[in-house]
Structure formats: C-alpha cells, structure tokens
Coordinates of all heavy atoms in Angstrom, one line a residue:
M11 N 70.9 87.5 57.6 CA 70.0 88.6 57.5 C 69.7 89.1 58.8 O 69.1 88.3 59.6 CB 68.8 88.3 56.6 CG 68.0 89.4 56.2 SD 66.6 89.0 55.1 CE 67.1 87.8 54.0
D12 N 69.8 90.3 59.1 CA 69.4 90.7 60.5 C 67.9 91.2 60.5 O 67.2 91.2 59.5 CB 70.3 92.0 61.0 CG 70.2 93.2 60.2 OD1 69.1 93.4 59.5 OD2 71.2 94.0 60.3
R13 N 67.5 91.6 61.7 CA 66.0 91.8 61.9 C 65.5 93.0 61.1 O 64.5 93.0 60.5 CB 65.8 92.0 63.5 CG 64.4 92.0 63.8 CD 64.3 92.0 65.4 NE 62.9 91.7 65.8 CZ 62.2 90.6 65.8 NH1 62.9 89.4 65.3 NH2 61.0 90.4 66.2
D14 N 66.4 94.0 61.0 CA 65.9 95.2 60.2 C 65.8 94.8 58.7 O 64.8 95.2 58.0 CB 67.0 96.2 60.3 CG 67.0 97.0 61.7 OD1 66.0 96.9 62.4 OD2 68.1 97.6 62.0
D15 N 66.7 93.9 58.2 CA 66.6 93.4 56.8 C 65.3 92.7 56.6 O 64.6 92.8 55.7 CB 67.8 92.6 56.3 CG 69.0 93.4 56.2 OD1 68.9 94.6 55.9 OD2 70.0 92.8 56.3
E16 N 64.9 91.9 57.6 CA 63.8 91.0 57.5 C 62.6 91.9 57.5 O 61.6 91.7 56.8 CB 63.6 90.0 58.7 CG 64.6 89.0 58.6 CD 64.6 88.0 59.9 OE1 63.6 87.9 60.5 OE2 65.6 87.4 60.1
Q17 N 62.5 92.9 58.4 CA 61.3 93.9 58.4 C 61.2 94.6 57.0 O 60.0 94.8 56.7 CB 61.5 94.8 59.5 CG 61.2 94.3 60.9 CD 59.7 93.9 61.1 OE1 59.3 92.8 60.5 NE2 59.0 94.7 61.9
L18 N 62.2 95.0 56.4 CA 62.2 95.7 55.2 C 61.7 94.9 54.1 O 60.9 95.3 53.3 CB 63.6 96.2 54.8 CG 63.8 96.9 53.5 CD1 63.2 98.3 53.7 CD2 65.2 97.2 53.2
L19 N 62.0 93.5 54.0 CA 61.4 92.6 53.0 C 60.0 92.3 53.2 O 59.3 92.0 52.2 CB 62.2 91.3 53.0 CG 63.6 91.5 52.6 CD1 64.4 90.1 52.7 CD2 63.9 92.1 51.2
R20 N 59.4 92.4 54.3 CA 58.0 92.0 54.6 C 57.1 92.9 53.8 O 57.2 94.1 53.8 CB 57.7 92.1 56.1 CG 58.4 90.9 56.8 CD 57.7 90.7 58.2 NE 58.5 89.9 59.1 CZ 58.9 88.7 58.9 NH1 58.7 88.1 57.7 NH2 59.6 88.1 59.8
R21 N 56.0 92.3 53.3 CA 55.1 93.0 52.4 C 55.5 93.8 51.2 O 55.0 94.8 50.7 CB 54.2 93.9 53.3 CG 53.6 93.2 54.5 CD 52.9 91.8 54.2 NE 51.8 91.8 53.2 CZ 51.4 90.8 52.6 NH1 51.9 89.5 52.9 NH2 50.5 90.8 51.6
R22 N 56.8 93.4 50.8 CA 57.3 94.1 49.5 C 57.1 93.0 48.4 O 57.1 91.9 48.5 CB 58.8 94.3 49.8 CG 59.0 95.4 50.8 CD 60.6 95.5 50.9 NE 61.2 96.0 49.7 CZ 61.4 97.3 49.4 NH1 61.0 98.2 50.1 NH2 61.9 97.7 48.3
V23 N 56.9 93.6 47.3 CA 56.8 92.8 46.0 C 58.1 92.6 45.3 O 58.8 93.6 45.1 CB 55.7 93.6 45.1 CG1 55.6 92.8 43.8 CG2 54.4 93.8 45.8
Y24 N 58.3 91.3 44.9 CA 59.7 91.1 44.3 C 59.6 91.7 43.0 O 58.8 91.8 42.2 CB 59.6 89.6 44.0 CG 60.9 89.2 43.1 CD1 62.1 88.9 43.5 CD2 60.6 89.1 41.7 CE1 63.2 88.6 42.8 CE2 61.7 88.7 40.9 CZ 63.0 88.6 41.4 OH 64.0 88.3 40.6
G25 N 60.7 92.4 42.8 CA 60.9 93.2 41.5 C 60.3 94.6 41.3 O 60.4 95.3 40.4
A26 N 59.6 95.0 42.5 CA 58.8 96.2 42.5 C 59.8 97.5 42.4 O 60.9 97.4 43.0 CB 57.8 96.3 43.5
D27 N 59.4 98.5 42.0 CA 60.0 99.8 42.1 C 60.1 100.2 43.7 O 59.3 100.1 44.5 CB 59.3 101.0 41.5 CG 60.0 102.3 41.2 OD1 61.1 102.3 41.8 OD2 59.5 103.1 40.6
H28 N 61.4 100.7 44.0 CA 61.6 101.1 45.4 C 60.7 102.2 45.9 O 60.5 102.3 47.1 CB 63.1 101.5 45.6 CG 64.1 100.4 45.6 ND1 64.1 99.4 46.6 CD2 64.9 99.8 44.5 CE1 65.0 98.5 46.2 NE2 65.5 98.8 45.0
D29 N 60.2 103.1 45.0 CA 59.4 104.2 45.3 C 57.9 103.5 45.6 O 57.1 104.3 46.3 CB 59.2 105.1 44.2 CG 60.6 105.9 44.0 OD1 61.3 105.9 44.9 OD2 60.8 106.3 42.8
R30 N 57.6 102.4 45.1 CA 56.3 101.8 45.4 C 56.4 100.3 45.6 O 56.2 99.5 44.8 CB 55.4 102.0 44.1 CG 54.0 101.7 44.4 CD 53.0 102.1 43.3 NE 51.8 101.7 43.6 CZ 50.7 102.1 43.1 NH1 50.9 103.1 42.0 NH2 49.5 101.8 43.3
P31 N 57.0 99.9 46.8 CA 57.4 98.5 47.1 C 56.3 97.6 47.5 O 56.4 96.4 47.3 CB 58.5 98.6 48.1 CG 58.0 99.9 48.9 CD 57.4 100.8 47.9
G32 N 55.1 98.2 47.8 CA 54.1 97.4 48.3 C 53.1 96.9 47.3 O 53.1 97.2 46.2
P33 N 52.2 95.9 47.7 CA 51.2 95.4 46.8 C 50.2 96.4 46.3 O 49.9 97.5 47.0 CB 50.6 94.3 47.6 CG 50.8 94.6 49.1 CD 52.1 95.4 49.0
R34 N 49.8 96.3 45.1 CA 48.8 97.1 44.6 C 47.4 96.3 44.5 O 47.3 95.2 44.3 CB 49.1 97.6 43.1 CG 50.3 98.4 43.1 CD 50.9 98.7 41.7 NE 49.9 98.6 40.6 CZ 50.1 98.6 39.3 NH1 51.4 98.7 38.9 NH2 49.1 98.5 38.4
S35 N 46.3 97.0 44.7 CA 44.9 96.4 44.8 C 44.5 95.9 43.4 O 43.7 95.0 43.4 CB 43.9 97.5 45.2 OG 43.9 98.5 44.3
D36 N 45.0 96.3 42.4 CA 44.7 95.9 40.9 C 45.5 94.6 40.5 O 45.4 94.2 39.4 CB 44.8 96.9 40.0 CG 46.1 97.5 39.8 OD1 46.9 97.4 40.7 OD2 46.3 98.0 38.7
R37 N 46.4 94.1 41.4 CA 47.3 92.9 41.1 C 47.0 91.8 42.0 O 46.4 91.9 43.0 CB 48.8 93.3 41.2 CG 49.2 94.6 40.5 CD 49.0 94.7 39.1 NE 50.0 93.7 38.5 CZ 50.0 93.6 37.1 NH1 49.3 94.2 36.3 NH2 50.9 92.8 36.6
R38 N 47.3 90.6 41.6 CA 47.2 89.3 42.3 C 48.7 88.8 42.6 O 49.5 88.9 41.8 CB 46.5 88.2 41.5 CG 46.2 87.0 42.3 CD 45.3 86.1 41.6 NE 45.3 84.9 42.2 CZ 46.2 83.8 41.7 NH1 46.9 84.0 40.7 NH2 46.2 82.7 42.5
Y39 N 48.9 88.4 44.0 CA 50.1 88.1 44.5 C 50.1 86.7 45.0 O 49.1 86.3 45.6 CB 50.6 89.1 45.6 CG 50.7 90.5 45.0 CD1 49.7 91.4 45.1 CD2 51.8 90.8 44.2 CE1 49.8 92.7 44.5 CE2 51.9 92.1 43.6 CZ 50.9 93.0 43.8 OH 51.0 94.3 43.3
A40 N 51.3 86.0 45.1 CA 51.6 84.8 45.9 C 52.7 85.2 46.7 O 53.7 85.9 46.4 CB 51.9 83.8 44.9
Q41 N 52.6 84.6 47.9 CA 53.8 84.8 48.9 C 54.9 83.8 48.7 O 54.6 82.6 48.5 CB 53.2 84.7 50.2 CG 54.3 85.0 51.4 CD 53.7 84.9 52.8 OE1 52.5 84.7 53.0 NE2 54.6 85.1 53.7
L42 N 56.1 84.3 48.7 CA 57.4 83.4 48.7 C 57.5 82.9 50.0 O 57.6 83.7 51.0 CB 58.5 84.1 48.0 CG 58.2 84.7 46.6 CD1 59.4 85.5 46.2 CD2 57.9 83.6 45.7
V43 N 57.7 81.6 50.1 CA 57.9 80.9 51.5 C 59.3 80.2 51.5 O 59.5 79.4 50.6 CB 56.8 79.9 51.7 CG1 57.0 79.3 53.1 CG2 55.4 80.6 51.6
G44 N 60.1 80.6 52.4 CA 61.5 79.9 52.6 C 62.4 80.5 51.8 O 62.1 81.3 50.9
G45 N 63.7 80.2 51.9 CA 64.8 80.6 51.1 C 65.1 82.1 51.2 O 64.6 82.8 52.2
P46 N 65.9 82.6 50.4 CA 66.4 84.0 50.5 C 65.3 85.1 50.3 O 65.4 86.3 50.7 CB 67.5 84.2 49.5 CG 67.3 83.1 48.6 CD 66.6 82.1 49.2
L47 N 64.2 84.7 49.7 CA 63.2 85.7 49.4 C 62.0 85.6 50.1 O 60.9 86.1 49.9 CB 62.8 85.7 47.8 CG 63.9 85.9 46.9 CD1 63.6 85.8 45.4 CD2 64.6 87.2 47.2
D48 N 62.1 84.8 51.3 CA 60.9 84.4 52.1 C 60.2 85.7 52.6 O 60.8 86.7 53.0 CB 61.5 83.8 53.3 CG 60.4 83.4 54.4 OD1 59.5 82.7 53.9 OD2 60.5 83.7 55.5
G49 N 59.0 85.6 52.5 CA 58.1 86.9 52.8 C 57.8 87.8 51.7 O 56.8 88.5 51.8
L50 N 58.5 87.8 50.7 CA 58.3 88.7 49.6 C 57.1 88.2 48.8 O 56.6 87.0 48.9 CB 59.4 88.9 48.5 CG 60.7 89.6 49.0 CD1 61.8 89.4 48.0 CD2 60.3 91.0 49.3
L51 N 56.4 89.0 48.2 CA 55.2 88.7 47.4 C 55.7 88.7 45.8 O 56.5 89.5 45.5 CB 54.1 89.9 47.4 CG 53.6 90.0 48.8 CD1 52.6 91.1 49.0 CD2 52.9 88.6 49.4
L52 N 55.2 87.7 45.2 CA 55.4 87.7 43.7 C 54.1 88.0 42.9 O 53.1 87.4 43.1 CB 55.8 86.2 43.4 CG 56.1 85.8 42.0 CD1 57.3 86.7 41.4 CD2 56.3 84.3 41.8
D53 N 54.3 88.9 42.0 CA 53.0 89.2 41.2 C 52.7 88.3 40.2 O 53.6 87.8 39.3 CB 53.4 90.5 40.4 CG 52.2 91.1 39.7 OD1 51.2 90.5 39.5 OD2 52.3 92.4 39.3
V54 N 51.6 87.5 40.3 CA 51.2 86.5 39.4 C 50.0 86.8 38.6 O 49.5 86.0 38.0 CB 50.8 85.1 40.2 CG1 52.2 84.6 40.9 CG2 49.8 85.5 41.2
T55 N 49.7 88.1 38.6 CA 48.7 88.7 37.7 C 49.0 88.3 36.3 O 50.1 88.4 35.8 CB 48.7 90.2 37.8 OG1 48.5 90.5 39.2 CG2 47.5 90.8 36.9
G56 N 48.0 87.7 35.6 CA 48.2 87.4 34.2 C 48.8 86.2 33.7 O 49.0 85.8 32.7
R57 N 49.1 85.3 34.8 CA 49.7 84.0 34.6 C 48.6 83.2 33.8 O 47.5 83.0 34.3 CB 50.2 83.3 35.8 CG 51.5 83.8 36.2 CD 52.1 83.2 37.5 NE 52.3 81.7 37.3 CZ 53.5 81.1 37.4 NH1 54.5 81.9 37.7 NH2 53.7 79.9 37.3
T58 N 49.0 82.6 32.7 CA 48.0 81.8 32.0 C 47.9 80.4 32.9 O 48.7 80.0 33.7 CB 48.6 81.4 30.6 OG1 49.8 80.5 30.8 CG2 48.9 82.6 29.9
P59 N 46.7 79.7 32.5 CA 46.6 78.3 33.2 C 47.7 77.3 33.0 O 48.1 76.7 33.8 CB 45.3 77.8 32.4 CG 44.6 79.0 32.0 CD 45.6 80.0 31.6
D60 N 48.5 77.5 31.8 CA 49.6 76.7 31.7 C 50.8 77.1 32.5 O 51.5 76.3 32.9 CB 50.1 76.7 30.3 CG 49.2 76.1 29.3 OD1 48.4 75.1 29.7 OD2 49.2 76.3 28.1
E61 N 50.9 78.3 32.8 CA 51.9 78.9 33.8 C 51.7 78.7 35.1 O 52.5 78.6 36.0 CB 52.3 80.3 33.4 CG 52.7 80.6 31.9 CD 52.8 82.1 31.7 OE1 51.8 82.9 32.2 OE2 53.7 82.5 31.0
A62 N 50.4 78.5 35.5 CA 49.9 78.6 36.9 C 50.5 77.6 37.7 O 50.9 77.8 38.8 CB 48.4 78.5 36.9
G63 N 50.9 76.4 37.2 CA 51.4 75.4 38.1 C 52.9 75.2 37.9 O 53.5 74.3 38.3
T64 N 53.5 76.1 37.2 CA 55.1 76.0 36.8 C 55.9 76.8 38.0 O 55.5 77.8 38.5 CB 55.3 76.6 35.4 OG1 54.9 77.9 35.4 CG2 54.6 75.7 34.5
D65 N 57.1 76.2 38.0 CA 58.1 76.9 38.9 C 58.6 78.1 38.4 O 58.5 78.4 37.1 CB 59.4 76.0 39.0 CG 59.0 74.7 39.7 OD1 57.7 74.5 40.1 OD2 59.8 73.9 39.9
V66 N 59.2 79.1 39.1 CA 59.7 80.3 38.8 C 61.2 80.3 39.3 O 61.5 79.8 40.4 CB 58.9 81.6 39.3 CG1 57.6 81.5 38.5 CG2 58.8 81.6 40.8
A67 N 62.1 81.0 38.5 CA 63.5 81.2 38.8 C 63.7 82.6 39.0 O 63.6 83.4 37.9 CB 64.5 80.6 37.8
L68 N 63.9 83.1 40.1 CA 63.9 84.6 40.4 C 65.4 85.1 40.7 O 66.1 84.5 41.7 CB 63.0 84.9 41.7 CG 61.5 84.4 41.5 CD1 60.7 84.7 42.8 CD2 60.9 85.1 40.4
A69 N 65.7 86.1 40.0 CA 67.2 86.6 40.2 C 67.3 87.2 41.6 O 66.5 87.9 42.1 CB 67.5 87.6 39.1
T70 N 68.4 86.8 42.3 CA 68.6 87.4 43.6 C 70.2 87.3 43.9 O 70.7 86.2 43.6 CB 67.8 86.8 44.7 OG1 68.2 87.4 45.9 CG2 68.0 85.3 44.8
E71 N 70.7 88.2 44.6 CA 72.1 88.1 45.1 C 72.0 87.5 46.5 O 73.1 87.4 47.1 CB 72.8 89.4 44.9 CG 72.0 90.7 45.2 CD 72.8 91.9 44.9 OE1 72.8 92.4 43.7 OE2 73.4 92.5 45.9
L72 N 70.8 87.3 47.1 CA 70.9 86.9 48.4 C 71.0 85.4 48.5 O 71.1 84.8 49.7 CB 69.5 87.3 49.1 CG 69.1 88.8 49.1 CD1 67.7 89.0 49.6 CD2 70.1 89.4 49.9
G73 N 70.9 84.6 47.5 CA 70.8 83.2 47.4 C 72.4 82.7 47.5 O 73.2 83.4 47.7
R74 N 72.4 81.3 47.3 CA 73.7 80.6 47.6 C 74.8 81.1 46.6 O 76.0 81.1 46.9 CB 73.4 79.1 47.4 CG 74.7 78.2 47.4 CD 74.2 76.7 47.3 NE 75.4 76.0 47.3 CZ 75.4 74.8 46.6 NH1 74.2 74.2 46.2 NH2 76.5 74.1 46.6
F75 N 74.4 81.4 45.4 CA 75.4 81.7 44.3 C 75.6 83.3 44.2 O 76.2 83.6 43.3 CB 74.8 81.2 43.0 CG 74.9 79.6 43.1 CD1 73.6 79.0 43.3 CD2 75.9 78.9 42.9 CE1 73.6 77.7 43.3 CE2 75.9 77.5 43.1 CZ 74.8 76.9 43.2
G76 N 74.9 84.1 45.1 CA 75.2 85.5 45.0 C 74.8 86.2 43.7 O 73.9 85.8 43.1
L77 N 75.5 87.2 43.4 CA 75.2 88.1 42.2 C 75.2 87.1 40.9 O 76.0 86.4 40.6 CB 76.3 89.1 41.9 CG 76.0 90.1 40.9 CD1 74.7 91.0 41.2 CD2 77.1 91.1 40.8
G78 N 74.0 87.3 40.3 CA 73.8 86.4 39.1 C 73.0 85.1 39.4 O 72.7 84.5 38.4
G79 N 72.9 84.8 40.6 CA 72.2 83.6 41.0 C 70.7 83.6 40.9 O 70.2 84.9 40.8
R80 N 70.0 82.6 41.0 CA 68.6 82.6 40.9 C 68.1 81.7 42.1 O 68.7 80.6 42.4 CB 68.0 82.2 39.7 CG 68.4 83.1 38.5 CD 67.8 82.6 37.2 NE 68.2 83.5 36.1 CZ 67.5 84.7 35.9 NH1 66.6 85.2 36.7 NH2 67.9 85.4 35.0
S81 N 66.9 82.0 42.7 CA 66.2 81.0 43.7 C 65.0 80.6 43.0 O 64.3 81.3 42.3 CB 65.8 81.8 44.9 OG 67.0 82.1 45.7
L82 N 64.8 79.2 43.1 CA 63.7 78.5 42.6 C 62.6 78.4 43.5 O 62.8 78.1 44.7 CB 64.1 77.2 42.1 CG 65.2 77.1 41.1 CD1 65.6 75.6 40.9 CD2 64.9 77.7 39.8
Y83 N 61.4 78.7 43.0 CA 60.1 78.7 43.9 C 59.1 77.8 43.0 O 58.9 78.0 41.9 CB 59.6 80.0 44.3 CG 60.4 80.6 45.4 CD1 61.6 81.4 45.1 CD2 60.1 80.5 46.7 CE1 62.4 81.9 46.1 CE2 61.0 81.0 47.7 CZ 62.0 81.9 47.4 OH 62.8 82.3 48.3
A84 N 58.4 76.9 43.8 CA 57.3 76.2 43.0 C 56.0 76.5 43.8 O 55.9 76.7 45.0 CB 57.5 74.7 43.3
P85 N 54.8 76.7 43.0 CA 53.6 76.9 43.6 C 53.2 75.6 44.5 O 53.4 74.5 44.3 CB 52.6 76.8 42.5 CG 53.4 76.9 41.2 CD 54.8 76.5 41.5
R86 N 52.7 76.0 45.7 CA 52.3 74.9 46.6 C 51.0 74.2 46.1 O 50.0 74.9 45.9 CB 52.1 75.5 48.0 CG 51.8 74.5 49.0 CD 51.7 75.2 50.4 NE 53.0 75.7 50.9 CZ 53.0 76.4 52.0 NH1 52.0 76.6 52.8 NH2 54.3 77.0 52.4
P87 N 51.1 73.0 45.9 CA 49.8 72.3 45.3 C 48.6 72.5 46.1 O 47.6 72.7 45.5 CB 50.2 70.8 45.4 CG 51.8 70.8 45.3 CD 52.2 72.0 46.1
S88 N 48.6 72.6 47.5 CA 47.4 72.7 48.3 C 47.0 74.2 48.5 O 46.0 74.5 49.0 CB 47.7 72.2 49.6 OG 48.7 72.8 50.3
D89 N 47.9 75.1 48.1 CA 47.7 76.5 48.2 C 48.5 77.3 47.1 O 49.6 77.8 47.3 CB 48.1 77.0 49.6 CG 47.9 78.4 50.0 OD1 47.3 79.1 49.2 OD2 48.1 78.8 51.1
P90 N 47.8 77.6 45.9 CA 48.5 78.2 44.8 C 48.9 79.7 45.3 O 49.6 80.4 44.4 CB 47.5 78.2 43.7 CG 46.3 77.9 44.3 CD 46.5 77.2 45.7
D91 N 48.5 80.2 46.4 CA 48.8 81.6 46.8 C 50.1 81.6 47.5 O 50.5 82.6 48.0 CB 47.7 82.3 47.6 CG 46.5 82.6 46.8 OD1 46.6 82.7 45.5 OD2 45.4 82.6 47.3
R92 N 50.8 80.4 47.6 CA 52.1 80.3 48.2 C 53.1 79.6 47.2 O 52.6 78.5 46.8 CB 52.0 79.6 49.5 CG 51.2 80.4 50.6 CD 51.3 79.7 51.9 NE 50.3 80.4 52.9 CZ 50.8 81.4 53.7 NH1 52.0 81.9 53.6 NH2 49.9 81.9 54.5
F93 N 54.3 80.2 47.2 CA 55.3 79.4 46.3 C 56.4 79.0 47.3 O 56.9 79.9 48.0 CB 55.8 80.4 45.3 CG 55.0 80.5 44.0 CD1 53.7 80.7 44.1 CD2 55.6 80.4 42.9 CE1 52.9 80.9 42.9 CE2 54.8 80.6 41.7 CZ 53.5 80.7 41.7
D94 N 56.8 77.8 47.3 CA 57.7 77.2 48.2 C 59.1 77.2 47.6 O 59.2 76.9 46.4 CB 57.4 75.9 48.7 CG 56.1 75.9 49.6 OD1 56.1 76.6 50.5 OD2 55.3 75.1 49.3
W95 N 60.1 77.6 48.4 CA 61.6 77.7 47.9 C 62.0 76.2 47.7 O 61.8 75.3 48.6 CB 62.3 78.4 48.9 CG 63.7 78.3 48.6 CD1 64.4 79.1 47.5 CD2 65.0 77.7 49.2 NE1 65.8 78.8 47.6 CE2 66.1 78.1 48.6 CE3 65.0 76.9 50.5 CZ2 67.4 77.6 49.1 CZ3 66.2 76.5 50.9 CH2 67.4 76.8 50.2
T96 N 62.6 76.0 46.5 CA 63.2 74.5 46.2 C 64.6 74.6 46.2 O 65.2 73.4 45.9 CB 62.4 74.0 45.0 OG1 62.7 74.7 43.8 CG2 61.0 73.8 45.2
G97 N 65.3 75.7 46.2 CA 66.8 75.7 46.0 C 67.3 76.9 45.2 O 66.4 77.7 44.7
D98 N 68.6 76.9 45.0 CA 69.2 78.0 44.3 C 70.0 77.4 43.1 O 70.4 76.3 43.2 CB 70.1 78.8 45.1 CG 69.4 79.5 46.3 OD1 68.3 80.0 46.0 OD2 70.0 79.7 47.4
I99 N 70.0 78.2 42.0 CA 70.9 77.8 40.9 C 71.7 78.9 40.5 O 71.5 80.1 40.7 CB 70.0 77.3 39.7 CG1 69.1 78.4 39.3 CG2 69.3 76.0 40.0 CD1 68.3 78.2 38.1
P100 N 72.9 78.7 39.9 CA 73.9 79.7 39.4 C 73.2 80.6 38.3 O 72.3 80.2 37.6 CB 75.1 79.0 38.9 CG 74.8 77.5 38.9 CD 73.4 77.4 39.6

C-alpha cells in the first residue's frame, strides 16, 4: 500500500458509503489496529454485551487471501475501543 492509499484509509469507517466515509457523531466506533484494515474505524454501535468481547471477521480484498477473504480482529482486553488484527482467513 502506498502513502496515498494509507491517507485515504485514515478516519474512514469500514463498510461506509463512499459518499459519507467518515465517522458520524451518533455512532460509536473502535479503531482497527494492524493488518490490512489498519486505521479504519469499525462501527460497534448496538453491539450487545455478549458480542462486545467477540472477534469479528471483516471481508476485504486487501488481506492474504484477496477477493473473498476476511481479516480477523479481536477487541483489545485493555482497551475495547481498539480491535487488534489476529490474521486472515479465506
């Protein structure tokens, strides 16, 4: 990924509409750390207490498996507002 691509991804919300890529004040976000989606924000608004500590598998073509692959992120135990990359799956 070149520097322009990195700048484009910063402060963007994973899965957001291209016309409105940034965070919204009425939503809650966690930052994705590491891996192919590093720096993107994940909308965690409405996650139930049971879901709060669970990993997420996010579709991305930027990961190891390309189109159709997913990147795994886990909530950081010491900071639930950050999800750390744990790997990619097909």
Side-chain angles (χ1 to χ4, degrees):
M11 191 176 323
D12 66 22
R13 192 165 190 85
D14 290 335
D15 289 337
E16 288 178 28
Q17 285 292 76
L18 182 63
L19 291 177
R20 291 198 193 301
R21 306 314 304 163
R22 292 181 61 92
V23 176
Y24 171 82
D27 187 355
H28 288 285
D29 293 335
R30 192 171 178 167
R34 295 176 22 195
S35 61
D36 62 332
R37 310 298 289 180
R38 184 170 165 263
Y39 300 95
Q41 182 175 356
L42 300 175
V43 180
L47 302 176
D48 184 50
L50 289 177
L51 300 175
L52 178 66
D53 188 344
V54 294
T55 307
R57 281 180 62 115
T58 66
D60 288 339
E61 295 171 323
T64 60
D65 299 359
V66 293
L68 304 173
T70 181
E71 37 186 88
L72 301 174
R74 177 177 173 202
F75 296 98
L77 187 61
R80 297 185 180 278
S81 288
L82 302 174
Y83 286 84
R86 188 179 290 179
S88 62
D89 184 358
D91 290 333
R92 295 185 185 272
F93 280 46
D94 295 310
W95 178 66
T96 59
D98 294 324
I99 58 173

